[in-house]
Structure formats: structure tokens, C-alpha cells
Amino acid sequence: MIIDCHGHYTTAPAAHQKFRDAQVARFNDPAAPPARPGAISDDEIRETIEKNQLRLQQQRGSDLTLFSPRASAMGHHFGDEAVSLAWTRANNDLIKRVVDLYPQNFVGVCQLPQSPGVPIANSVAELTRCVSELGFIGCNLNPDPSGGHWTSPPLTDRHWYPFYERMVELDVPAMVHVSASCNANFHATGAHYINADTTAFMQFIEGDLFHDFPSLRFIIPHGGGAVPYHWGRYRGLADMLKRPPLDQHVMNNVYFDTCVYHQPGIDLLVRVIDVKNILFGSEMVGAVRGIDPTTGHYFDDTRRYIDALEIAAADKARIYEGNARRVFPRLDALLRTRGQ
Ligand SMILES: [Zn+2]
């Protein structure tokens, strides 16, 4: 079985974006009409999924995608907490509808109603709703709800602890995932995303978070940002900062996905990072949608790169399935109920 740990509903029906547009208009001008989620039919959802994510799953040969709202549209920086909550709930409810229509192909991962300057404890209720009521198995946690200005404390700060406590109680991991950039210096997917991945990892080295939460788990997407390429730097910094070796200090709790869009990058990832810490992911349909002229294949068709690795079949199975089932115990439990 091939589990893609990183997919977003980037193709949601137009009524969904209209709701967001109305929200933005209302926030900017209180005289504008109140925003309410528009009607979306099951057929509209089917059309947007079957032409895109489901078609690509089938063409590329993956079986199940851990599916979350479009990350770049989370837009935590915009508006206030009430705006973020209403948008977040609409997004998560839409993911639930996709999962209900295609339960064999998608499992839900939730967005959180984060907002700059608002305690993360306020996101606990939505996480709980999504996991306990909607059957989701994980969440996307934004380390920078300000959208590129980094006004929140590091992920290792006690600010985040009330949320981590609930993650541990529910036994769900978080993917560290920023949203859009409203800082012109940082292109969203080319700079802000990769910056955040790299930043989160360094925060984990500097802090002692996993001493306080031994079972807390994070996926750092986009291949771990710059971390695998600079692995010697991070091992050396851990040593300089008198932290334990990374395999004890961080790597029992942190996983990287395979959203690296060329073969040499995947080769390096697997050579540097222990296979137990790598989860298959593609982030399709997402950040990079074109065809690589040097290969003739889509950049984000990441299965090709894993298939081409010269590693044991058992290791490929861990990347494709085993590690995801370990990091997402609720996914494993769900699949077991289906005899999978
Ligand atoms: Zn993503």
C-alpha cells in the first residue's frame, strides 16, 4: 500500500473561495454583507477531486492520501480569530465531505484556527472536533501565523504546550506547515515554506521539547527543508550547543516527507536520513505543477524517485506505508478495521 502523507484540496469548488472573498470583504468593510459558506454539491466535489487528486493518485499508483485544506490559503495572518475560525471550520468540513465521498482514497488532516497573537490553546477545540467527531488523524500546525514576520515564540516555547498536550492525548502528529507569505521577501512555496521547515528543525535542536513530550511527533514537510543537505551543520550545532546527538534528541519525534522534486534530492535524503524517519509524500496538486523537461515527468510525481532508489524493498515499504502507520496511529487503527 502506498500512503501519501501530504496532499491538499487545492482544487476546491469556486463557492468555497467565494466565501473567503466575502469574509475578506466583510472584515475590510463591516458594511459588507456577512459571509456564509456557500452551497457546494457532492457532484461539484466529485468533479474537482476526480479530475485532479484522484486521477493523479490512480495514474501514479498511490492508494491513500492524508488530505488537508489548501495550505497557502489558510491565511492565518488575515483578519482576526473569528475570521480564522469560521474559515478553518469551513475548510475542515469540506475535507470531511471529500473523505466521506472517497473513504478508500482520502483521510482527513485538519487546519487550525490560528491567528497572530492568539493563544494556541484556542486551537485545541477545533483539533478535538476534527479528530473526535470528524475522524481526522492529524493536523497542520503553522509555526508562523503572521505569514512571514515570525511574531510567535519558537515551537519549543511553553506557548505551544497546551496544544501539544492535546496532541499527545489524542495521539495525533502535526505537520509543521506555514501558509501564504505576506512578506515580499519570501516567496510562499519557494522560500517561506522551506525557511519554516528549516527553522522548525533548528528550534527543536535548541530546545528540549521532546524531553517534556516524549511521544510528540512532527512531520517536517518538503523533505525537511534544507536540513538533510546541511546535516553536518545540524549535527555540529547540536554538539556545539551541548545537546545530545540528533538521533536521540530530535529524530525519535521528527519525520521528513519526500516532497523533493528531483532524483538527486531524494537520493541525498535517503542517504543522509534514517529510513525510519522518512514518509512518502507528494504535495499534489500543489506547489510545483509543471513537467520536468529533463525527465518528461511531473516534478511532483515523487513516486518515481522512490521507486528508482537502490534500497531494500523492505525499506521502500517503510517509506510508502509502515512509517506513516507508525506516525499516525489513528490511520493504522482505521486501516486495520478495514482489514488493510
Ligand atoms: Zn503542503
Side-chain angles (χ1 to χ4, degrees), residues 158-171:
R158 288 189 169 272
H159 165 86
W160 302 90
Y161 277 29
F163 190 78
Y164 297 156
E165 284 164 8
R166 184 55 61 92
M167 280 174 60
V168 168
E169 273 173 39
L170 294 170
D171 206 10

Side-chain angles (χ1 to χ4, degrees), residues 263 266-267 270 304-313 315-316:
Q263 189 69 49
I266 291 288
D267 293 347
V270 170
R304 290 180 173 278
Y305 313 133
I306 310 300
D307 283 346
L309 289 172
E310 291 182 12
I311 59 173
D315 284 341
K316 280 186 195 175

Side-chain angles (χ1 to χ4, degrees), residues 6 8 71 175 177 193 221-222 283:
H6 191 169
H8 301 294
M175 180 173 278
H177 207 311
Y193 279 25
H222 322 110
E283 201 175 27

Side-chain angles (χ1 to χ4, degrees), residues 249-271:
H249 185 48
V250 178
M251 299 310 280
N252 289 319
N253 306 80
V254 170
Y255 303 85
F256 299 150
D257 75 11
T258 62
C259 299
V260 177
Y261 293 157
H262 67 150
Q263 189 69 49
I266 291 288
D267 293 347
L268 181 143
L269 177 69
V270 170
R271 188 169 168 199

